[in-house]
Amino acid sequence: MKKSEQKNLVIVESPAKAKTIQKFLGDGFVVKSSFGHIRDLAKNDLSVDINNQFKPTYVIDPEKKKIIDELKKASKESDIVWLASDEDREGEAIAWHLSEALNLPKDKRKRIVFHEITKKAIEEAIKNPRGIDFNLVNAQQARRILDRLVGYELSPILWKKIKSNLSAGRVQSVAVRLIVEREKEIQNFQSQSFFKVSGIFIADGQLFKAELDKKFTTEKEAQDFLEKCKKAQFTIESIETKPAKRSPSAPFTTSTLQQEASRKLGFSVAQTMTLAQRLYEEGYITYMRTDSVNLSELALETAEEVIKDFYGKKYHQKRQFTTKSKNAQEAHEAIRPTYINKLQIEGDKNEQRLYELIWKRTVASQMADAILEKTIAKIKISNSDEKFIAQGEVIKFDGFLKLYIESTDDEQENANEENNLLPPLKKGQNIEYKQITAVQRFTHHPPRYTEASLVKKLEELGIGRPSTYAPTISTIQKRDYVVKKDKEGTPREYVQLSLEQNKINKEVKTENTGAEKGKLFPTDLGIVVTDFLMKHFPEIMDYQFTANVEEEFDEIALGKLDWVKMLEKFYYPFHKDVVKTIEESERSTGERVLGIDPKTGKKVIARIGRFGPLVQIGEQGDDEKPVYAKMPKHLSIHTITLEEALNLFQLPKVLGKHNGKEVIVNIGRFGPYVLYDGTFASIPKDEDPYTITFERAVELIENKQSAAQSKVIQNFESDGIQVLNGRYGPYISYNKKNYKIPKDKNPKTLTLNEIIEIIGDDFKGEAVAEEISKTEKKSTTKKAAASVTKKTSSKAKKK
């Protein structure tokens, strides 16, 4: 951009974005960052005046005051302030908050937006500024205020009725409901066994596979069918060959990028968004929060050039996709590379992998269909009504498959996806079997959600928007309502019957079943909170109601709905439910009576306690107080058995004596541990406190004592000072505070005097300090006297 005498200040959200934009602007422009949001509702207060049209009270983040001061100073020195935050509702709100916090006059501020950080896009934005879009600001404000109202009124109820420090949220609670309901489906699922029959046949010396069009429910039915096959004639009854095609998927939206990055690269939703943010700010991709699948004309032209150069003209097919979501937000393009002819970028490995995924998906979307030929052959069995079906697929032209194949969440579909090539077959042709196998299979429960499949479900239900998927999934895990983990499989026997050379052979085999990786499981807390909210706030937890609220935010953004009226319509019925629940609802802990303790005759109960899930023997009001045991993480109050519960009361347990003192194993608030002579040693996560041996417990204690001894470098006990080895190097510990040791000091030879200098004004040992001060004065006096004596002696010599 040409040098201008006018002073221009451009404000964006992040330093990386500022750095990239500064490269495209001339000397007359200074680009600075606000480092994200600068104002928000106060944390410790409702900050919403319900009786004054829901007027919010915003406060500047204390950590941002210095930034605001710098931006104020820079704005005063500038002729125009260009507010260049992101182009969605959140970005529009940041622009408005900046304008308010910096007291920018209307004639001095200009709002610019762009969906890619390129020289051309920035220059176009500067040429076409606009004002702040208050419809977008109000949509963001309405979401923020409504979410604050819901959280502020629901959370205290949860503290009172379930457990302290819990939280509820309009979208997060509905997301947890999805996971809880899926878990209940799985727990109630009754697996049924059946027998699946497949055969390997021979036609003109060539082998091919076919599957029976019927499944048998019992082993006897499968056995009887194989007996029939011994005497049967097999004939090709019909052959159908038909062309088919596969078309490429649309370019990425936020949700499809999150899903595909999870499936193909193993990234979490939050990780994908962090990497995409970096790629956007470095100018490598377009804006990453979007539900549009549209591509600009320039992008289409560049993709065409790249495809023709790399693959040839026949591989190109121009396409313009239409956005399925009727509520697509303000972003105008799909996520794509800013320069499609740029195949590789600089950056860390994961940034490069995500960029490559975006590049392939974008280019593939403009490639030709894959042309396939599908053949279906039906095999008649002379003495049975069932038929074998052989299916084959041949790729005649690979088209976009040359570059990219979309993944799927359907594990079974992925496992079964294989191309079965058929030999030349003719109608009426007699064929022979080589082997026919009946394998016992089992119906499978609905799959648990992954982060990616949860995003897909939320999008299908219309819950949340591109900017909310990742924060929602992170929040429900941070709140300990949901945990992402792997589940080990369990061995299961199954029967396999094989017919070969007119003999039926039966084998009982073993397989590992039920193993899952990176799935979302509800915690006991998540289930109890969900059940409570479903009972007392069914509307808030309703999927359609939540989707309708999202649509109303969209209406506000388009200027079709007044945000205050929308909040009034939501809040007052909701508040009535809050008051009613506080007054009428009972405490909810998910309590389950498991049975009777044979030793005491008292009830054994599993429930949520003050510090989480627990098991207790006895009830309040009994002659003796109940005895409690913490619930280990691998067990749940909803599935634990009486036997498992009673085992938890084996602890604390004395394993034996070491040097005359007891070695005790127990489970505490922070997990299982060994206690010996005042020393606590944690038991590693992969070891069971119920089966740990005396020898192993002593080993853990000795390791802990050895580590503690090597930790102390120097000890000044009378002054409460220690020089210690820490995770990040040596440091000084004094009065519950830590102090860094300067690099030029040796921790082993530090004197008390040097340590007190490092501690500075925090040191409170006045008597010691005074003594050191006197010593220093004496030392200084002696040095001075010695210096005077030396000078006098020197002068005498000269004379």
Side-chain angles (χ1 to χ4, degrees), residues 246-301:
R246 285 174 68 179
S247 300
S249 301
F252 283 130
T253 61
T254 303
S255 70
T256 54
L257 175 65
Q258 290 168 346
Q259 292 165 50
E260 195 72 341
S262 172
R263 293 184 292 235
K264 271 190 160 57
L265 307 177
F267 292 167
S268 70
V269 167
Q271 184 184 9
T272 298
M273 292 313 290
T274 300
L275 292 167
Q277 179 95 28
R278 274 192 238 151
L279 292 173
Y280 168 66
E281 289 173 350
E282 291 291 335
Y284 291 132
I285 64 169
T286 53
Y287 191 52
M288 67 286 155
R289 280 188 280 273
T290 175
D291 40 19
S292 170
V293 290
N294 182 44
L295 291 176
S296 69
E297 203 55 44
L298 178 63
L300 294 172
E301 289 169 9

